[in-house]
Amino acid sequence: MPELIDNLLGEALTIRKKGNRTRNLVAVANRVSRGVPEVMVKVSGFGKGAGHVQSHLTYISRHGKVELETESGEILDGKDAVVEYFAEWQEKMEQGVRHKKQRDTMHLVLSMPAHVDEESVRRATRDFAAETFGKNHRYLFALHTDTSNPHCHITVLCQGRDGRRLDPKKADLQAWRETFAEKIREQGHEAEATSRRARGVVRKSIKAVIKHIESGDKTHKPRVSRVRALQMEDAAKELVHGKKQHSWEKHIEIRQKSIRMSWMAAATELEKQGTSESITSRQIRQMVDNMPPVKTEREVLIEELQLRFRRSPEKDRMAHFPAKEISSSQKKEQDRER
């Protein structure tokens, strides 16, 4: 593949440089254009202090009912085993001078949106954790199978064996996603780890806690979350005073136009490579055609309000007639319209 394609795809994707980069980029373009499921690697929080960390281990082990696996492959089965093992971590955590907001553990959640069998998720997580943290950090993980798709919780001691502490950045999270996707593929399942914007997606996914509030559960009926209510209130104010495009929305629009043009240019270049890449080229063009509209959450909410409160001119006019002023003929006309 010529250098142009490498640069174009590099604008839209973050790819680790390993092996044959050109071949990797073509493989990624092929998977993304086919809509291969994207992995999820999320930092769900940090443990601060022995009590907080122990509570988290109790949670991911479901009070000892779910096995925990350590970096050495040791299986912790039962509540007593978890407590005994945590004592070693606590000793490590309490060494030296502590800072007021010191992070002792980092908590990760790894999962796939599409169905992947639980053993594949377990093995992929084991390999991911060993490669990512095994050289310098102690960690353990638990496999949860109580939801529609199996997922793993990893708890990592922030202080490494060399004394340095974990301080993950956005680039680290993307690298972790790519590693986990690779480990899932090694288990025989298709997976990818591209950014939302590279796939033409502007709106962020709804947070789990908001989904839970709005879908309800056994003890609470579905309800509008406070976050959603505030968003709707702000959208209503903008609708009343006149919708305007913010500078950051203009930046998103320009960025998305650039990414989509890059994908199309990549498709054109792939067509020149011969029959073997023509399928990927067609898939890329189809993917760009199917990309969602470039709309932010604010713009979508404003459109929803416009549709909700939009009325026809005739209904709007009739709504202003006092009931006593509507004649019998007008009443009959309304009934016929209904």
Side-chain angles (χ1 to χ4, degrees):
M1 179 182 288
E3 184 178 354
L4 173 61
I5 297 301
D6 186 284
N7 293 335
L8 286 170
L9 292 183
E11 289 180 13
L13 304 170
T14 302
I15 308 297
R16 290 185 301 163
K17 294 184 178 181
K18 57 181 291 187
N20 188 323
R21 177 173 169 82
T22 299
R23 185 175 60 211
N24 286 343
L25 288 168
V26 174
V28 170
N30 182 281
R31 288 193 293 269
V32 173
S33 63
R34 287 189 291 110
V36 165
E38 298 276 332
V39 300
M40 185 195 79
V41 176
K42 178 176 68 175
V43 176
S44 60
F46 295 89
K48 301 174 183 178
H52 189 188
V53 174
Q54 187 168 13
S55 295
H56 181 71
L57 296 186
T58 299
Y59 164 71
I60 66 173
S61 69
R62 296 291 193 259
H63 295 272
K65 296 178 182 178
V66 173
E67 292 180 346
L68 299 183
E69 183 175 330
T70 73
E71 78 281 353
S72 63
E74 180 183 356
I75 302 299
L76 307 180
D77 188 7
K79 191 173 182 179
D80 292 341
V82 175
V83 172
E84 183 179 348
Y85 185 83
F86 171 70
E88 299 178 24
W89 278 23
Q90 185 174 2
E91 184 179 350
K92 178 79 172 176
M93 288 159 46
E94 292 176 350
Q95 291 176 354
V97 179
R98 289 187 60 83
H99 302 291
K100 185 177 180 180
K101 296 182 179 180
Q102 180 170 304
R103 294 172 172 178
D104 293 302
T105 55
M106 179 184 67
H107 310 152
L108 288 174
V109 180
L110 280 63
S111 71
M112 279 283 291
H115 174 72
V116 176
D117 66 279
E118 58 189 63
E119 283 307 312
S120 291
V121 173
R122 189 200 303 274
R123 288 192 293 266
T125 299
R126 181 186 294 126
D127 294 344
F128 162 84
E131 181 174 320
T132 307
F133 306 113
K135 293 180 180 178
N136 196 38
H137 295 272
R138 298 187 67 178
Y139 62 85
L140 47 74
F141 71 89
L143 171 69
H144 286 184
T145 58
D146 54 354
T147 60
S148 57
N149 58 306
H151 59 279
C152 283
H153 293 261
I154 305 178
T155 302
V156 188
L157 268 178
C158 286
Q159 184 170 339
R161 298 183 181 93
D162 62 0
R164 291 184 297 177
R165 305 185 69 83
L166 275 174
D167 184 21
K169 307 299 183 185
K170 189 174 182 179
D172 295 315
L173 195 59
Q174 178 58 28
W176 295 347
R177 288 186 68 226
E178 291 170 6
T179 301
F180 184 54
E182 178 185 313
K183 300 309 178 185
I184 287 288
R185 289 196 295 270
E186 289 176 0
Q187 297 301 317
H189 303 280
E190 290 200 303
E192 195 42 71
T194 53
S195 64
R196 284 184 299 105
R197 66 181 186 180
R199 303 190 304 275
V201 179
V202 172
R203 299 168 62 192
K204 295 181 179 179
S205 58
I206 301 175
K207 292 184 177 180
V209 64
I210 296 178
K211 282 184 179 179
H212 180 74
I213 291 171
E214 297 186 346
S215 61
D217 54 29
K218 295 180 180 178
T219 58
H220 295 87
K221 294 181 179 180
R223 58 202 188 281
V224 177
S225 67
R226 184 177 299 178
V227 171
R228 183 59 63 107
L230 290 173
Q231 289 175 334
M232 294 293 287
E233 183 180 343
D234 290 341
K237 288 179 181 178
E238 291 210 26
L239 187 58
V240 170
H241 298 293
K243 176 185 173 184
K244 63 179 181 179
Q245 188 179 47
H246 296 281
S247 60
W248 53 271
E249 289 175 328
K250 185 64 177 177
H251 175 76
I252 290 174
E253 185 179 301
I254 294 172
R255 180 65 180 176
Q256 276 298 314
K257 184 177 180 179
S258 174
I259 287 174
R260 294 168 196 226
M261 288 176 64
S262 295
W263 277 116
M264 296 301 283
T268 299
E269 288 298 319
L270 280 171
E271 287 172 351
K272 299 176 183 179
Q273 306 307 304
T275 308
S276 61
E277 308 299 352
S278 61
I279 296 176
T280 300
S281 174
R282 290 197 299 271
Q283 290 169 342
I284 288 175
R285 293 184 185 281
Q286 187 64 47
M287 177 191 71
V288 174
D289 287 342
N290 293 336
M291 281 182 175
V294 183
K295 293 179 181 178
T296 63
E297 185 70 24
R298 183 190 72 90
E299 291 173 316
V300 171
L301 286 175
I302 289 175
E303 287 186 2
E304 288 178 358
L305 288 175
Q306 287 175 325
L307 289 173
R308 184 181 301 179
F309 298 111
R310 183 177 294 158
R311 293 179 296 192
S312 68
E314 178 63 21
K315 288 183 178 180
D316 187 61
R317 184 182 68 80
M318 296 304 296
H320 290 80
F321 276 108
K324 61 182 181 181
E325 294 181 7
I326 298 177
S327 66
S328 58
S329 60
Q330 288 174 326
K331 183 68 169 62
K332 291 179 181 179
E333 183 66 22
Q334 288 184 36
D335 290 338
R336 281 196 296 270
E337 291 178 353
R338 293 194 188 102

